[in-house]
Amino acid sequence: MTMNELHAISPVDGRYWKASSVFAPYFSEFALIRYRTLVEVEYLAAMKALGLPQLKQMPASLISSLKKSITQFEEQDALRIKEIEKTTNHDVKAVEYYLREQFEKRGYSQYTEFIHFGLTSQDINNTAIPMMVQDALFEVTIPSLINNIITPLENLAIEWMHIPMLARTHGQAASPTTVGKELQVFVERLQEQFAIVLNTPISCKFGGATGNFNAHKVAYPKIDWIAFADRFCEEQLGLQRQQTTTQIEHYDTLAALFDGLKRICTILIDLCRDIWAYVSLDYFGQKIKKGEVGSSAMPHKVNPIDFENAEGNLGIAIALFEHLSAKLPISRLQRDLTDSTVCRNIGVPFSHMEIAFQSLKRGIPKLILNEQRIAADLNDNWAVVSEAIQTILRRESYPDPYGALKELTRTGKKITQEALHSFIDGLDISAALKKELKKISPQNYIGFANSH
């Protein structure tokens, strides 16, 4: 751990930096500056390609050089922009002045007035930030979700699909299932929400001071600036341009994305709590890592800490995603500045989510199935097949089978195989039907649980 990590206020930048640092290229101050600079340069390149007469003589090599400098963007470049910001007291204007310096260094100061031409700062912020989110989502979060959680869970679901297990509704013994099917429930839920996230558009605002291209139209009234902006956002930036906006984007699609990620986190909390409960029931053991300590006082303990840590971090991610999705779409009149400071925190819930993913990456492979304990629990709960018996009796029009089984199973006495078979023997039914009923056991009464 570095000194900076040791003194960090947020654990994202301190204790958990190893897990969250993967987002530094997307959500750090350095990243925001670099993405802003990228948008400015791409916009200037698009303006030149548009054929503005004032930019006809601007060499293509200048744009190529600037794009290369962004690819090789270094801390000293970001620090220079921060130095300029001390004077401007405006972060986006500082990027513009930095690019002006780059033009002047290269001997092309005659083109500097077309840097940030007709734009407001939100045309840069509301394109840079969605690009950051999109890149982080597709380059880090989605691969991590698939590789660290969905795929390992799916593999275990397949491996354990045929292991019968007592189900528990309201914490009480219920109709049997299989271990694999219960894990497949989470696989399917995650896959469905993953598909929703993938289909959520990531959009941007790009339309001048109040979204109407006022400055663009007054300067070049014959150009279709709306069509230009649509092409620019889609082809150069990979974003969907919002058509009608104020000075800032409305954030509705970004809010939808955060809500989708929030649901994924909620599903994973449900998974963590179920695994925790199965560990407490001794259905799962855990592989022991040499040197690890489960308790400072009780040497025997092997705690499900990975699932507990994941649950805690997922809860923080949910709270922050909830605030982002609830707050960002609200702005007074044509804009207020409340979104600016809030947007700087977008990387925080992504980081807590990734910390949770890494915990689950460690925890899932540690699980050891305790088949003996699971089988013993099943064998100790023959009352769960009463549902099967009364259903078949109903099929045969036996009078009030539910009442008969209810009277047997709710006496407070333990229902064993012998007690249940004795009950069957006392029924006024055919020998063939009695034989059919006696074939049912907690181990085979699993419906289609092993066919998922």
Side-chain angles (χ1 to χ4, degrees):
M1 177 174 280
T2 67
M3 289 299 291
N4 285 341
E5 292 167 25
L6 191 62
H7 291 280
I9 294 173
S10 167
V12 164
D13 296 312
R15 180 179 181 87
Y16 300 127
W17 175 245
K18 185 176 179 181
S20 61
S21 61
V22 68
F23 285 114
Y26 308 96
F27 295 120
S28 63
E29 182 74 2
F30 174 86
L32 179 56
I33 292 170
R34 190 181 74 82
Y35 274 90
R36 283 170 170 164
T37 309
L38 172 64
V39 173
E40 292 278 14
V41 172
E42 290 288 356
Y43 172 64
L44 189 62
M47 292 278 282
K48 175 175 170 54
L50 189 59
L52 296 186
Q54 292 85 352
L55 296 179
K56 280 186 177 179
Q57 301 303 314
M58 187 171 73
S61 60
L62 174 61
I63 298 296
S64 299
S65 172
L66 289 169
K67 288 186 177 182
K68 184 177 180 181
S69 69
I70 294 170
T71 304
Q72 300 172 346
F73 203 71
E74 297 178 351
E75 284 189 4
Q76 62 187 28
D77 299 303
L79 289 172
R80 175 55 191 154
I81 292 172
K82 296 300 291 183
E83 186 65 27
I84 296 170
E85 187 184 338
K86 290 179 182 178
T87 301
T88 62
N89 197 30
H90 195 290
D91 47 9
V92 176
K93 201 66 177 176
V95 172
E96 177 188 341
Y97 286 176
Y98 166 80
L99 286 172
R100 284 173 175 263
E101 287 183 352
Q102 299 305 307
F103 271 58
E104 290 164 2
K105 285 179 182 179
R106 290 166 169 79
Y108 295 109
S109 58
Q110 67 269 37
Y111 302 117
T112 56
E113 291 306 323
F114 284 87
I115 302 169
H116 201 72
F117 183 84
L119 302 181
T120 184
S121 58
Q122 288 310 107
D123 293 313
I124 305 304
N125 286 330
N126 289 160
T127 48
I129 291 172
M131 288 174 71
M132 294 160 63
V133 170
Q134 183 165 258
D135 288 349
L137 181 67
F138 284 93
E139 294 173 15
V140 179
T141 299
I142 288 176
S144 184
L145 176 64
I146 294 171
N147 297 330
N148 297 331
I149 301 171
I150 294 179
T151 299
L153 276 181
E154 193 166 26
N155 290 338
L156 289 181
I158 293 169
E159 181 182 348
W160 297 337
M161 190 60 69
H162 299 282
I163 308 296
M165 179 182 78
L166 184 70
R168 293 177 183 272
T169 56
H170 308 281
Q172 308 300 308
S175 301
T177 182
T178 70
V179 179
K181 178 262 173 174
E182 297 311 310
L183 292 181
Q184 185 63 28
V185 168
F186 290 102
V187 172
E188 187 172 306
R189 291 173 69 190
L190 290 169
Q191 288 173 336
E192 288 178 354
Q193 295 307 315
F194 170 68
I196 291 173
V197 166
L198 283 182
N199 289 319
T200 302
I202 298 181
S203 59
C204 67
K205 177 266 176 181
F206 197 84
T210 54
N212 307 316
F213 292 105
N214 304 47
H216 291 78
K217 185 175 181 181
V218 76
Y220 297 97
K222 294 184 179 180
I223 294 177
D224 186 345
W225 288 107
I226 293 175
F228 163 81
D230 288 346
R231 289 194 308 272
F232 170 65
C233 291
E234 183 175 349
E235 295 173 10
Q236 265 67 50
L237 307 183
L239 303 171
Q240 177 180 300
R241 194 182 79 87
Q242 298 162 4
Q243 297 299 302
T244 308
T245 69
T246 60
Q247 187 175 93
I248 65 172
E249 77 154 294
H250 44 63
Y251 292 111
D252 294 338
T253 55
L254 208 55
L257 174 66
F258 295 151
D259 284 336
L261 293 173
K262 185 179 71 174
R263 285 193 297 273
I264 288 173
C265 291
T266 300
I267 292 167
L268 290 175
I269 286 180
D270 200 19
L271 169 71
C272 289
R273 291 180 179 178
D274 276 11
I275 297 297
W276 189 97
Y278 290 137
V279 170
S280 72
L281 290 168
D282 204 24
Y283 283 12
F284 291 133
Q286 296 177 96
K287 294 175 184 175
I288 299 172
K289 187 176 180 180
K290 188 176 181 179
E292 282 190 352
V293 174
S295 166
S296 62
M298 295 173 281
H300 69 283
K301 295 193 73 179
V302 183
N303 300 327
I305 56 173
D306 296 308
F307 297 95
E308 293 170 338
N309 180 279
E311 180 181 340
N313 278 286
L314 290 165
I316 296 172
I318 289 170
L320 293 172
F321 279 136
E322 173 68 28
H323 178 66
L324 290 169
S325 65
K327 184 271 155 297
L328 287 177
I330 300 172
S331 184
R332 296 171 183 85
L333 302 179
Q334 280 65 55
R335 99 140 305 178
D336 63 38
L337 199 64
T338 53
D339 66 311
S340 178
T341 188
V342 172
C343 279
R344 289 180 179 273
N345 288 277
I346 289 174
V348 181
F350 273 88
S351 295
H352 281 287
M353 189 164 54
E354 178 61 21
I355 293 165
F357 288 1
Q358 292 299 319
S359 292
L360 292 173
K361 178 184 178 181
R362 291 189 298 272
I364 293 171
K366 285 184 183 178
L367 297 176
I368 303 171
L369 193 65
N370 188 344
E371 293 190 52
Q372 288 184 328
R373 177 70 183 90
I374 292 172
D377 212 7
L378 266 178
N379 202 48
D380 201 36
N381 283 278
W382 272 80
V384 296
V385 303
S386 61
E387 177 193 42
I389 294 170
Q390 66 99 5
T391 302
I392 292 176
L393 291 176
R394 291 175 68 178
R395 181 193 74 192
E396 300 298 322
S397 298
Y398 188 88
D400 191 22
Y402 180 87
L405 268 298
K406 178 182 175 183
E407 186 176 340
L408 171 70
T409 57
R410 292 173 69 93
T411 60
K413 297 179 180 179
K414 188 161 191 64
I415 304 300
T416 62
Q417 179 182 9
E418 291 74 17
L420 205 58
H421 284 190
S422 176
F423 168 80
I424 293 170
D425 286 334
L427 295 172
D428 185 17
I429 56 177
S430 68
L433 187 55
K434 289 181 180 180
K435 184 177 180 181
E436 179 185 353
L437 293 177
K438 287 182 179 181
K439 284 183 179 179
I440 303 168
S441 72
Q443 289 75 23
N444 63 27
Y445 182 51
I446 58 173
F448 294 102
N450 63 353
S451 61
H452 292 272

